[in-house]
Amino acid sequence: MSRRAGFILAIALLLVLGLIASYVLGKLEPYEDVIEHGPAPEVASSPYLAAEHFLRKQGIAARRAEGLDVLDGLPSEGQTLMLLADRGNMTPRQVERVLQWTAGGGHLLFIAERLWDEEEGKSGDLLLDLLGVQQYMSDELDDEEASEAEAENEQNEEHEAYPQLTKLYLENEQAPAYIAFDTDFHLYDAQNRAHAWANSDSATHLLQLYHGDGLITVLSDPWIWQNRNISEYDHAWLLWYLSQDSAVTLLYHADSDGLARLLLRHFPLALLVLALLIIATLWHVGMRHGPLQAPASRARRQLEEHLRGSADFLLRRSGQHSLLKGLQQDINRRARRRHPGFEKLAVAEQWQVLGRLTRLPAKDISQAMRPLPPQRLSASDFTRQVAHLQTLRNAL
């Protein structure tokens, strides 16, 4: 094969390979890898963040509060306060403050947290008990109570559709709003104060009642407005419906970071307490680990050894009672020098004089000067009694 023919064949092969590659590439579809990083930290720490953004998109002013202190600067009229946080630590004073704020014209929305206890006659949820609202488990309702929840639904055509969903009927609306409340719970208006409510097939999950010039909405659970649920059914619409014509304050971190917020609020006091603790610790360590004392002189040590040896000799020869009685007599002699006529006083009066002269407690004086027991003292009791007597004598 000539060189020219080989060159032409190579070109033809390249053209064929190019056509094949073009055909294959044309059949391939573009693709991309999607890496799920999960929710952003802000979303993970704020279960109602989507609810806040939804309200703002509807033109409703919404803000988040960290505690009930927000009521100090929050007017009642034109405001909605949503207590979505756990209220286990809510005090009676705080409950009274919230109800006073509501009575001034505010809208209070909160979640029922405790079940009604028939034996105690209360639930322990201070807001529920004061408003006469009782919460039960749906499967514990008797036929009469269950029928009350069903009565509102029986006259509507949609009753048979979606029995597990709560239906909220409005005037001039042909179809109800559907909300997926937890059907395990039922709200009961014990004082017949509610003017509006919403039921599922056999339980009530929303109650509204007037309080003073304000309005109170009680829900059986708050999960419908959390980030993962607010887009389902008519959950977002219900949030808008309950918040319309008002500014909204959401409180759902009331119990989180309680200690940190308390320290920030009282930072100067906390700093002062910390400084006092440091000073007290240094003083304690300094008292226990102070400078070492210089050793006693040789003459002092010899004197101490001589006195200790003399005391041991007298103890073996005369006994405990003789030594202790001798110390008591020495105390009486010293007292007579400072208080003439001391020996003529009664024992109780003598002890009173010793107390004035030595400024020692009466307990120490009676411990040292009380009559000695007839039996022999133990080594520890004898040493302790000698110490009491020496302390009293040195004080004189």
Side-chain angles (χ1 to χ4, degrees):
M1 181 183 296
S2 64
R3 180 179 301 177
R4 183 177 179 181
F7 180 74
I8 295 173
L9 180 61
I11 292 176
L13 288 175
L14 290 175
L15 290 173
V16 171
L17 291 175
L19 292 173
I20 294 174
S22 177
Y23 175 79
V24 171
L25 292 176
K27 292 295 184 180
L28 294 178
E29 296 181 357
Y31 71 97
E32 60 181 7
D33 293 332
V34 178
I35 301 176
E36 294 289 344
H37 294 283
E42 185 181 6
V43 176
S45 62
S46 302
Y48 300 96
L49 184 63
E52 293 182 44
H53 286 283
F54 170 77
L55 290 174
R56 295 190 185 106
K57 287 183 179 180
Q58 306 308 313
I60 297 175
R63 64 167 177 165
R64 187 188 317 171
E66 299 295 331
L68 290 173
D69 294 341
V70 69
L71 293 180
D72 295 338
L74 188 68
S76 297
E77 295 185 1
Q79 297 287 335
T80 295
L81 176 64
M82 295 188 175
L83 299 182
L84 304 178
D86 180 82
R87 294 179 289 103
N89 296 328
M90 200 171 182
T91 65
R93 185 175 180 181
Q94 289 175 324
V95 171
E96 181 181 0
R97 176 72 180 91
V98 169
L99 292 179
Q100 287 178 350
W101 177 87
T102 306
H107 178 197
L108 171 65
L109 185 148
F110 69 93
I111 312 303
E113 293 187 343
R114 303 287 185 87
L115 296 176
W116 179 257
D117 192 321
E118 293 289 352
E119 295 181 357
E120 296 187 4
K122 63 180 181 179
S123 67
D125 186 327
L126 298 180
L127 277 174
L128 284 183
D129 294 342
L130 288 175
L131 296 173
V133 178
Q134 302 172 3
Q135 181 173 223
Y136 296 92
M137 297 298 295
S138 300
D139 55 5
E140 296 177 356
L141 299 177
D142 54 31
D143 295 337
E144 180 179 356
E145 291 174 331
S147 63
E148 292 179 2
E150 295 175 1
E152 294 299 322
N153 295 324
E154 290 179 350
Q155 58 185 356
N156 297 285
E157 297 178 356
E158 292 81 3
H159 171 60
E160 297 300 332
Y162 314 110
Q164 296 301 314
L165 295 179
T166 298
K167 289 164 279 295
L168 180 62
Y169 295 90
L170 302 177
E171 295 182 3
N172 303 322
E173 293 289 343
Q174 296 181 354
Y178 291 95
I179 303 100
F181 282 110
D182 190 340
T183 56
D184 290 338
F185 301 100
H186 168 71
L187 298 177
Y188 175 62
D189 180 18
Q191 298 180 2
N192 197 25
R193 295 180 55 185
H195 67 273
W197 48 87
N199 305 324
S200 60
D201 189 46
S202 59
T204 300
H205 305 287
L206 183 150
L207 291 174
Q208 273 196 338
L209 53 141
Y210 295 115
H211 184 75
D213 294 331
L215 178 67
I216 293 179
T217 302
V218 185
L219 303 181
S220 60
D221 59 80
W223 300 290
I224 58 173
W225 292 332
Q226 291 182 354
N227 296 330
R228 63 180 180 273
N229 300 323
I230 191 171
S231 61
E232 298 179 0
Y233 302 104
D234 295 317
H235 297 172
W237 175 89
L238 178 64
L239 179 64
W240 167 84
Y241 178 74
L242 296 175
S243 307
Q244 58 182 330
D245 300 326
S246 70
V248 178
T249 300
L250 298 100
L251 198 156
Y252 55 88
H253 283 309
D255 291 336
S256 64
D257 301 330
L259 180 59
R261 288 190 291 106
L262 184 63
L263 289 177
L264 288 175
R265 189 182 309 162
H266 304 285
F267 180 74
L269 180 60
L271 193 62
L272 176 61
V273 172
L274 179 61
L276 292 176
L277 286 175
I278 294 175
I279 293 174
T281 302
L282 294 176
W283 176 81
H284 178 70
V285 173
M287 289 293 293
R288 295 186 59 188
H289 306 285
L292 297 177
Q293 295 182 351
S297 62
R298 182 176 181 182
R300 176 63 178 259
R301 293 198 300 271
Q302 289 178 346
L303 177 60
E304 291 177 352
E305 293 174 358
H306 174 71
L307 293 175
R308 187 177 298 108
S310 299
D312 291 340
F313 174 76
L314 292 175
L315 177 61
R316 291 193 299 270
R317 181 176 180 181
S318 303
Q320 293 179 347
H321 287 70
S322 177
L323 287 177
L324 296 177
K325 191 173 183 180
L327 285 173
Q328 289 179 342
Q329 291 174 353
D330 187 33
I331 291 172
N332 288 331
R333 284 195 298 269
R334 293 172 180 267
R336 286 197 298 269
R337 295 176 185 173
R338 300 187 57 184
H339 189 88
F342 176 82
E343 69 280 1
K344 299 179 181 179
L345 300 175
V347 175
E349 295 177 349
Q350 289 181 352
W351 290 4
Q352 292 178 358
V353 172
L354 289 174
R356 290 195 299 270
L357 295 177
T358 61
R359 297 184 180 179
L360 292 176
K363 180 181 177 181
D364 293 349
I365 295 174
S366 63
Q367 181 70 28
M369 301 301 293
R370 65 184 179 183
L372 301 173
Q375 68 274 15
R376 180 180 176 83
L377 300 176
S378 64
S380 59
D381 291 340
F382 174 72
T383 302
R384 191 177 300 109
Q385 186 64 20
V386 170
H388 287 309
L389 289 167
Q390 288 179 337
T391 299
L392 182 56
R393 185 177 65 176
N394 294 338
L396 285 171

